[in-house]
Amino acid sequence: MGRRERRLDPAAGPVERFAAELRALRDSVGRPTYRTMADKVPFSVTALSQAAAGRQLPTLAVTLAYVDVCGGEAAEWERRWRAASAEAAALAGADEEARPPYRGLTRYEPATPPCSSAATDWWTGWTD
């Protein structure tokens, strides 16, 4: 018996919502193991389990294979995947505009220019 899957919060965003929908589809056909599912499609147990983990959106190919094994309608699930992908991209774009990927890329502007007149007063005495 494998590990228990972590709980998903569909309200947490499009990725977790999509994963919860995939799990519900799998539950509707008797909850086959990921190993059984992987035997029927060209994807690994890991790829299929990660598709429903809710950490990142699976590829469309993995999604369609998962759906095929569970007897879902490919066109409907492709539409769902595209909607979730667009929503996740929009949320990621909003986050990227709000903050840089790491502190080193934060724009640096000192409060006063480094060569203010106060900073160069010592030099004028040497040139006179």
Side-chain angles (χ1 to χ4, degrees):
M1 180 171 187
R3 284 188 220 150
R4 294 180 64 183
E5 293 179 309
R6 73 178 178 92
R7 286 199 138 159
L8 294 174
D9 178 11
V15 174
E16 283 200 46
R17 182 175 54 247
F18 189 78
E21 292 169 356
L22 283 175
R23 286 185 188 179
L25 177 66
R26 181 172 161 240
D27 289 344
S28 74
V29 293
R31 197 169 171 80
T33 65
Y34 288 116
R35 184 160 313 282
T36 301
M37 292 170 67
D39 288 342
K40 298 175 182 179
V41 294
F43 292 100
S44 68
V45 171
T46 303
L48 295 171
S49 67
Q50 287 179 349
R55 290 189 173 89
Q56 66 184 31
L57 194 65
T59 65
L60 180 57
V62 170
T63 298
L64 294 177
Y66 191 110
V67 168
D68 181 51
V69 169
C70 295
E73 186 182 325
E76 175 192 346
W77 281 91
E78 182 173 349
R79 181 191 55 75
R80 288 183 187 197
W81 182 88
R82 290 189 187 287
S85 179
E87 188 178 347
L91 290 173
D95 284 347
E96 286 178 13
E97 290 174 10
R99 59 188 159 86
Y102 59 90
R103 191 168 181 83
L105 292 181
T106 303
R107 188 172 177 168
Y108 174 73
E109 292 179 355
T112 59
C115 293
S116 66
S117 61
T120 57
D121 283 347
W122 67 271
W123 180 254
T124 57
W126 290 90
T127 60
D128 291 340

